[in-house]
Amino acid sequence: MVGAACALYAARAGLDVTVVDRGSVAGGTTGGGEGNLLVSDKEPGPELDLALLSGRLWSELAEELGEFVEYEAKGGVVVASSPGGLAALERFADEQRAAGVVAEPVAGDALYDLEPHLAPGLPGAVHYPQDCQVMPALAAAHLVRASGARLLTGRTVTEVLRTPAGTVRGVRTDHGDIHAPAVVNAAGTWGAELAALAGALLPVLPRRGFVLVTEPLPRRVRHKVYAADYVADVASDSAALQTSPVVEGTAAGPILIGASRERVGYDRTFSLPVVRALAAGATRLFPFLSDVRAMRAYLGFRPYMPDHLPAVGPDPRVPGLYHACGHEGAGIGLATGTGRLIAQTLTAKSPDLDLTPFRPDRFTEEAA
């Protein structure tokens, strides 16, 4: 998705763009995502600034592309399970509001006006109307199509071509060379491998997650609903398994259930204990789900970075190399802002945001 957005905004800035993918469009991390466009899980800082920019751009694209991306401005509801948890959640929301987020406290019975099928007795929540969703595979495909860029699938980049002075001059693939004065690394979870082909350190690691998919149902979950501890899991540095309930309905009918996080390399082994934990968390939030059939489960690898910020912008170590990867679980949501920033730097325009926190060279060997 990030590569598709970079292609779209670069092409609209007047550049000649070629997209190279070793698989199919959305065949990697994008196809394993839920399509969330979130501000609710982000504390004030550079990632939230990027999320707010991206949300505005997604809204514009939704007006343009309409049903092609299945954009749904359904909002998010973050639920507390105890009075103490609610107080902490409301303090977090206060900080977000100061940064431009719409965060509406929901107490007592008003919670059940938003989500009638939630478990009884919950003390309250915060409602985030800016949280949205797209269908990620569809959206990525239509962003590439709207860009008009050349799309070369089934081609693996094996080398970043450089001049004797070290400047990028294109890439070598298993189907031949492609010459260009700039290369954008939008390889997601595999961004470290592509950076290494140019001799640059970028410590992207895979963080595995499963999603459980139910049978199609009439709409009984109206928002993206998750427990407040999900925010802590997103920000955690732990490599161990973490699960926190995340439940959302879709326009097509199935309910998507997450979220798990663990760093196990690229192990694609199905884990019944993880899926059981997801199901248990979901039924605690929505008891009616205990009578609903799960149809399938799938997994993906989030591109994790040690400081939880993506690498966005030019790499000063390799002139002509740009990075747009390392967004962890927020890549769908942050794609549009990232693409806009990359296009601005490619065309020597002042970027909408300060790129200093996203500098690709901010890591040392020891920190990585």
Side-chain angles (χ1 to χ4, degrees), residues 73-88:
K74 63 185 177 185
V77 176
V78 184
V79 180
S81 58
S82 68
L86 180 59

Side-chain angles (χ1 to χ4, degrees), residues 120-207:
L122 294 168
V126 175
H127 175 221
Y128 291 89
Q130 291 162 298
D131 281 359
C132 302
Q133 186 177 32
V134 294
M135 198 292 183
L138 268 180
H142 283 289
L143 261 59
V144 172
R145 188 181 72 169
S147 75
R150 287 182 297 277
L151 175 62
L152 305 177
T153 57
R155 301 194 183 197
T156 300
V157 172
T158 59
E159 183 182 345
V160 175
L161 302 174
R162 300 168 71 180
T163 67
T167 302
V168 163
R169 62 181 183 89
V171 294
R172 176 156 292 155
T173 78
D174 55 355
H175 285 69
D177 293 353
I178 303 169
H179 295 287
V183 169
V184 178
N185 173 14
T189 309
W190 296 269
E193 298 173 20
L194 188 59
L197 294 178
L201 169 73
L202 198 68
V204 185
L205 295 171
R207 201 176 189 190

Side-chain angles (χ1 to χ4, degrees), residues 217-295:
L217 299 168
R219 196 63 173 263
R220 298 181 73 179
V221 180
R222 301 173 178 176
H223 305 80
K224 177 186 176 70
V225 182
Y226 62 85
D229 54 359
Y230 171 81
V231 177
D233 284 356
V234 170
S236 170
D237 295 323
S238 174
L241 173 66
Q242 297 167 306
T243 62
S244 50
V246 178
V247 183
E248 57 191 310
T250 64
I255 291 173
L256 305 181
I257 297 170
S260 68
R261 282 174 159 76
E262 55 187 331
R263 296 215 310 270
V264 292
Y266 289 102
D267 183 359
R268 298 192 66 87
T269 305
F270 177 78
S271 174
L272 185 57
V274 173
V275 173
R276 279 179 173 157
L278 295 181
T283 55
R284 285 195 300 272
L285 271 181
F286 290 96
F288 81 88
L289 287 172
S290 60
D291 297 321
V292 172
R293 290 177 297 172
M295 301 298 290

